[in-house]
């Protein structure tokens, strides 16, 4: 019982516990052990030394230990432990302790291995290989023990340097390993694999040991003799040392060594550990636990990143833009977790190849599919079910992955006592398909398709429907050892419709849609071992229909209203250089030049010069033909960043970005809504322009097991659109009269502590952030807050998040999350007055009051089946409780006039604990 209380306490004092974690260099042990089990001894040894033990519990369950140690070296203590037994142990250079029966482990190759020309068969006996299948072990041992000759062999090696390139792939699935570190130690030269799993190293010719590391994969190496330029592909095995959980980010020291700031990479293993409202892994809600990322409501998956609005995020799914990333009122994200590989968020240093949005880039990549065998996975929850299957089309060459997800939530509505709610319906589905084919060593191609649809009807009245259609084709081509390119064609389409037939004479159907077609070419050129160039070109065509209102049914008297279509072309060219000035200093600098052309056919309203842009001052119109250029906007976007090593584990980074956004989301609601309207920049609505300075300090401790980061930022935003009170944004033919151009500023500090390994792992973060707007349009009338700064709708100064996971064993783990944030702003009525005999409400200055602070605790438990390798299917159960404390957090505040009295209401979405159970399986 005492042990249980100790473990539960760890969840609540996660950050406190991490502070007292010891350095791995202290490998001494103190303690009195009296007839204790080996498992108990290991726990104490790991706590004191920072080492990690790997062993088979079934072999050591009968071993009892009795000894006393007083600050003695761990090696001496272990010799006493195993004295008189058949067990052997070995400690490698990463402080990993391997315990085996009968035969000792050799953790490094003999120094004279290659001079003596040791045979592959002899070497196999001495190498320690992580226990996967026998065949994989044999192949990997052979790969590590042999010597690879790269380039044209000669009798002697010519002095100088040559370039080695290759792909790093998963040995089990054939998928690329992204972000793996490939390096040699003398001289110290390294590189990371890109999104294709490709690396390129320019190193001195001669003998080298090429080392390869990646989180979640077993470290490996290759012995090479470099005669000239050449290629070497490397396979890595997945790490099966499951006693020590490893998750989040690729590249153990990427946060310290890279020049990128505000970059976070999450893998699907990490996301599956975060409890959610309805038991299903939710990509976007996991992203919301990161510092600097917020949402205005717990029922929304719209991201507000560093003071930016939801439309200022570029969300990409396999290179196709996603306009609405949510399902079912925002309760679910639009992405099936069974097909997702990883998610990468850029919120500070945005690479030059990305553009079109101000605040962030969220890049979502699906898995390529298994090239070696057919496998499947899925899950069944209370509201949703999902399934995915993958496998080879041509073994080792082509693969596919197909996933589907749907909901059956209508049964829940029918259980409600309220007659209005039990007549409601809600449903969604999404389908993913990806096909990959490796044509040859220099060419590969992938195809992606995505389709989703949501339908819901509340209170048996108004019916809503919206859908996403995405498609992309990607061709990867390697020109030579120094140059490769990625060519992409992508199509995105989003549409929604709203309809009602409750009152036949007013029956209607309202539709909106936006489409974009994009083509781009991105190139990477390894100019020199100190210089890597990225450059490319992109062009996007937009076509949108702002609104179509039509009557439905024979009795409807509604007058049809069709908004004029809009179209535009956005083009850009960019170049960026990553320059390693010295081992301590690295710089990255780039420039992106973008151009936006607003095109006809279109009729543009003109207004009297010198007067506010209002309907009353309209003076006429101008008509433009199809394809005719109406307005052009253009400008440079600068991307600069630098990293300086203060020591081997600490770095200081600085960055400066400018960004331009030519498309806007028009909304006067607090959360993302299916009825929000996208609008292109035109002669009256200027593109948004932003700039951001950022400074950060990054430190890794305990051999990269702990990461600490502190980032401060300051942003300026120009031409952000806010709405005028009392005007409509839907079917407004002169939308420019309903919006106000504002200037914004956002600033803040983000602190994050991550523990990546061990039974207890997770992260804790705190953010202080402000987001303020000011209406500075000199021609506008009735500006909010008298032209002074006021908080934006998503201004929440304080935010604290704790995400923690504890793995008791291979089969049982717990997750505990805690979130606190300041309440968001709102504008209440503060008085009444009578104007021309009509009672009116007087409101306070915009967003000068706040709803109560937000606090929520979530809990989940995961129970897996046995881990037998030869088994038809592997399964697990997830039990979760969302809002464990049942706190009634207000999602919004609204006011309603009843009998001349203004009443205020607070709406709470999840006002009580929500327990869920999900059955997951894979085969």
């Amino acid at each position: 019982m005492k042990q249980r209380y100790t473990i539960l306490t760890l969840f609540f004092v996660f950050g406190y516990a991490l502070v007292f974690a010891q350095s791995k260099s202290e490998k001494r042990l103190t303690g009195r052990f009296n007839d204790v089990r080996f498992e108990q001894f290991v726990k104490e040894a790991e706590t004191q030394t920072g080492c990690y033990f790997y062993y088979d519990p079934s072999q050591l369950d009968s071993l009892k230990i009795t000894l006393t140690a007083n600050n003695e070296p761990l090696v001496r203590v272990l010799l006493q432990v195993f004295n008189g037994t058949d067990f052997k142990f070995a400690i490698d250079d990463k402080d990993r302790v391997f315990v085996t029966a009968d035969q000792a482990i050799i953790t490094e190759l003999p120094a004279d291995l290659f001079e003596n020309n040791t045979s592959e068969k002899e070497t196999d006996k001495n190498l320690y290989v992580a226990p996967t299948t026998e065949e994989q072990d044999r192949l990997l041992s052979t790969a590590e023990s042999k010597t690879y000759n790269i380039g044209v062999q000669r009798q002697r090696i010519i002095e100088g340097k040559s370039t080695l390139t290759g792909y790093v792939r998963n040995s089990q699935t054939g998928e690329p390993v992204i972000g793996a570190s490939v390096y040699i130690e003398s001289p110290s030269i390294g590189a990371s694999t890109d999104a294709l799993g490709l690396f390129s190293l320019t190193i001195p010719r001669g003998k080298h040991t090429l080392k390869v590391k990646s989180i979640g994969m077993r470290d490996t190496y290759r012995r090479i003799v470099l005669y000239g330029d050449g290629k070497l592909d490397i396979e890595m095995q997945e790490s099966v040392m499951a006693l020590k959980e490893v998750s989040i980010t690729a590249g153990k020291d990427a946060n310290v060594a890279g020049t990128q700031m505000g970059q976070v990479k999450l893998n699907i293993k990490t996301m599956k550990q975060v409890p959610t409202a309805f038991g299903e892994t939710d990509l976007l809600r996991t992203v919301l636990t990161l510092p600097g990322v917020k949402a205005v409501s717990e029922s929304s998956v719209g991201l507000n990143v560093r003071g930016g609005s939801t439309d200022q995020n570029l969300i990409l799914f396999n290179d196709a833009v996603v306009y609405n990333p949510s399902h079912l009122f925002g309760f679910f994200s639009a992405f099936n977790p069974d097909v997702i590989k990883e998610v990468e968020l850029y919120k500070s240093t945005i690479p030059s190849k990305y553009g079109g949005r101000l605040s962030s880039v969220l890049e979502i990549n699906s898995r390529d599919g298994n090239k070696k065998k057919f496998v499947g996975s899925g899950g069944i929850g209370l509201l949703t079910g999902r399934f995915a299957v993958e496998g080879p089309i041509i073994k080792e060459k082509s693969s596919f992955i197909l996933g589907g997800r749907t909901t059956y939530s209508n049964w829940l509505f029918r259980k409600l006592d309220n007659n209005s709610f039990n007549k409601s319906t809600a449903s969604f589905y999404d389908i993913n398909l990806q096909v990959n084919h490796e044509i040859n060593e220099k060419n590969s191609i992938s195809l992606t398709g995505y389709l989703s649809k949501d339908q819901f009807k509340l209170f048996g009245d108004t019916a809503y429907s919206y859908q996403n259609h995405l498609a992309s084709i990607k061709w990867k081509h390697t020109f030579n050892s120094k140059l490769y390119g990625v060519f992409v064609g992508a199509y995105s389409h989003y549409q929604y419709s709203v309809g009602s037939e409750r009152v036949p004479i007013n029956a209607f159907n309202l539709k909106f849609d936006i489409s974009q077609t994009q083509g781009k070419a991105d190139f990477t050129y390894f100019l020199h071992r100190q210089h890597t160039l990225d450059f490319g070109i992109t062009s996007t065509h937009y076509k949108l229909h702002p609104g179509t209102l039509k009557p439905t049914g024979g009795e409807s008297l509604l007058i049809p209203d069709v908004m004029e279509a809009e179209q535009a072309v956005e083009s850009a060219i960019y170049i960026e250089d990553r320059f390693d000035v010295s081992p301590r200093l690295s710089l990255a600098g780039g420039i992106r030049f973008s151009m936006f052309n607003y095109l006809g056919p279109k009729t543009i309203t003109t207004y009297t010069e010198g007067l506010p842009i209002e309907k009353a001052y309209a003076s006429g119109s101008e008509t433009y033909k199809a394809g005719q250029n109406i307005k052009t906007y253009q400008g440079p976007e600068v991307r600069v960043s630098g990293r300086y090593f203060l020591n081997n584990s600490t770095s200081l980074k600085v960055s400066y970005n400018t960004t331009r956004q030519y498309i806007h989301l028009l909304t006067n609601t607090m959360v993302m809504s299916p009825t929000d309207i996208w609008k292109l920049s035109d002669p009256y609505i200027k593109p948004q322009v932003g700039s951001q300075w950022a400074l950060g300090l990054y430190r890794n401790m305990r051999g990269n097991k702990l990461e600490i980061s502190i980032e401060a930022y300051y942003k300026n935003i120009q031409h952000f659109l806010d709405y005028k009170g009392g005007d409509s944004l839907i079917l407004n033919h002169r939308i420019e009269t309903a919006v106000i151009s504002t200037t914004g500023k956002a600033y803040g500090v983000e602190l994050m502590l991550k523990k990546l390994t061990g039974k207890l792992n997770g992260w804790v973060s705190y953010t202080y952030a402000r987001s303020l707007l000011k209406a500075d349009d000199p021609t506008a009338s009735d500006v909010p807050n008298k032209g002074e700064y006021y908080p934006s709708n998503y201004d929440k100064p304080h935010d604290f998040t704790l995400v923690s996971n504890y793995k008791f064993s291979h089969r049982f783990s717990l997750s505990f999350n805690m979130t606190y944030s300041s309440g968001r702003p709102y504008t209440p009525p503060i008085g009444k007055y009578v104007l021309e005999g009509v009672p009116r409400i007087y409101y306070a200055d915009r967003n000068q009051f706040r709803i109560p602070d937000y606090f929520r605790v979530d809990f989940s438990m995961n129970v897996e089946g046995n881990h037998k390798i030869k088994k038809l299917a592997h399964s697990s159960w997830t039990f979760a409780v969302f809002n464990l404390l049942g706190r009634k957090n207000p999602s919004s505040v609204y006011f309603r006039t009843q009998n001349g009295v203004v009443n205020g209401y607070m709406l709470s979405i999840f006002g009580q604990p929500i327990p869920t159970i999900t059955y997951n399986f894979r085969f």
Side-chain angles (χ1 to χ4, degrees), residues 553-710:
E555 300 180 36
S556 179
L557 303 178
L558 198 70
I559 300 175
D561 190 358
V562 179
M563 298 275 289
E564 245 187 317
E566 293 184 281
Q567 65 174 337
V569 173
E570 179 184 345
S571 304
I573 188 170
Y574 72 91
I575 186 169
E576 184 172 290
D577 180 23
R578 300 193 299 274
F579 177 30
D580 294 325
V581 181
S582 69
R584 285 184 175 270
L585 178 64
S586 290
L587 301 174
I591 187 167
R592 176 186 179 92
F593 188 88
S594 60
M595 177 183 293
F596 179 85
N597 300 101
Y598 189 66
L599 306 175
K602 186 70 175 176
T603 300
I604 302 295
T605 302
T606 58
Y607 299 88
T608 303
E609 189 174 353
L611 294 177
I613 299 177
E614 295 182 359
K615 295 176 182 178
Y617 303 122
S619 60
S621 63
E622 294 183 14
T623 302
Y624 295 86
K625 298 178 180 179
Q628 185 177 356
N629 187 56
I630 301 173
K631 182 67 176 181
T632 297
Y633 294 103
Q634 58 189 358
E637 303 174 36
V638 179
R639 315 286 169 86
V640 180
S641 62
R643 181 267 298 152
Y644 182 77
F645 273 125
L646 300 178
N647 54 49
N648 290 336
S649 60
T650 309
S651 66
L652 185 68
K653 300 183 188 180
V654 63
S655 70
Y656 173 72
N657 285 344
T658 60
T659 49
R660 304 174 71 88
Q661 180 171 333
Y662 300 100
I663 187 169
H664 315 259
L665 185 65
L666 303 180
T667 179
N668 53 14
T669 62
M670 298 296 105
V671 299
M672 289 189 70
S673 166
T675 57
D676 291 339
I677 299 170
W678 290 88
K679 176 72 178 72
L680 299 174
S681 295
D682 62 21
Y684 299 109
I685 296 178
K686 298 179 180 180
Q688 301 178 61
V689 180
S691 62
Q692 178 181 183
W693 286 96
L695 178 67
L697 180 67
Y698 305 81
R699 178 172 174 79
N700 285 0
M701 297 184 297
R702 293 192 66 208
N704 298 320
K705 296 178 181 117
L706 290 178
E707 295 183 6
I708 299 176
S709 64
I710 304 174

Side-chain angles (χ1 to χ4, degrees), residues 78-288:
L78 292 177
L79 287 172
Q80 296 180 53
V81 169
F82 298 120
N83 184 33
T85 72
D86 294 328
F87 294 104
K88 311 293 183 183
F89 74 92
I91 305 176
D92 69 4
D93 59 354
K94 294 184 179 178
D95 295 342
R96 297 182 297 190
V97 182
F98 303 95
V99 181
T100 56
D102 298 323
Q103 187 169 350
I105 295 171
I106 305 300
T107 58
E108 60 183 8
L109 291 172
D112 59 347
L113 173 67
F114 296 98
E115 285 75 5
N116 294 333
N117 195 27
T118 305
S119 69
E120 292 176 4
K121 184 176 180 180
E122 292 173 345
T123 305
D124 276 319
K125 295 179 180 179
N126 294 329
L127 280 174
Y128 170 77
V129 181
T132 55
T133 66
E134 293 182 3
E135 181 180 3
Q136 287 177 330
D137 289 349
R138 180 181 59 79
L139 291 174
L140 186 57
S141 298
T142 302
E144 290 182 340
S145 63
K146 68 184 295 186
T147 300
Y148 295 86
N149 296 313
I150 310 298
V152 180
Q153 297 187 44
R154 299 178 175 87
Q155 290 185 347
R156 67 181 186 88
I157 298 174
I158 302 173
E159 291 188 4
K161 295 180 179 179
S162 291
T163 299
L164 172 66
T165 60
Y167 292 92
V168 179
R169 295 187 175 94
N170 186 312
S171 63
Q172 294 176 326
T173 66
E175 293 184 308
V177 178
I178 302 172
S181 297
V182 185
Y183 63 96
I184 61 173
E185 292 184 337
S186 181
S188 179
I189 301 174
S192 296
T193 57
D194 60 13
L196 314 179
L198 178 68
F199 70 91
S200 178
L201 281 175
T202 301
I203 56 178
R205 301 186 189 102
K207 293 183 179 181
H208 297 285
T209 299
L210 192 69
K211 297 189 176 182
V212 189
K213 296 183 178 182
S214 178
I215 281 196
M217 310 298 290
R218 178 191 175 276
D219 295 351
T220 188
Y221 56 88
R222 297 293 184 271
R223 300 278 187 173
I224 66 170
V225 178
L226 186 65
Y227 292 95
D229 293 349
K231 183 180 180 182
L232 176 64
D233 292 338
I234 301 171
E235 286 196 338
M236 301 184 74
Q237 290 184 0
E238 292 184 5
S239 174
V240 295
M241 298 173 184
L243 283 175
K244 310 301 166 191
E245 186 68 21
V246 178
S247 59
I248 195 172
T249 76
K252 294 181 180 179
D253 58 353
N255 63 314
V256 173
T259 57
Q260 294 284 344
M261 288 187 65
Q263 177 188 12
V264 182
K265 184 179 291 186
L266 298 171
N267 59 36
I268 190 61
K269 292 181 181 178
T270 301
M271 291 182 274
K272 287 183 177 180
Q273 294 175 339
V274 179
T276 56
F278 297 109
E280 183 179 272
T281 299
D282 195 307
L283 178 158
L284 294 179
R285 295 199 183 279
T286 305
V287 173
L288 284 168

Side-chain angles (χ1 to χ4, degrees), residues 460-497:
D461 180 19
T462 305
Y464 295 83
S465 173
Y466 63 92
Q467 52 191 312
N468 282 295
H469 299 162
L470 309 176
S472 66
I473 180 171
K474 180 188 293 185
W475 171 37
K476 308 168 188 176
H477 176 67
T478 302
F479 293 92
N480 52 52
S481 61
K482 292 190 174 183
L483 176 66
Y484 76 89
V486 179
F487 306 88
V488 176
Y491 173 78
S492 302
H493 177 81
Y494 172 69
Q495 68 180 57
Y496 73 75
S497 65

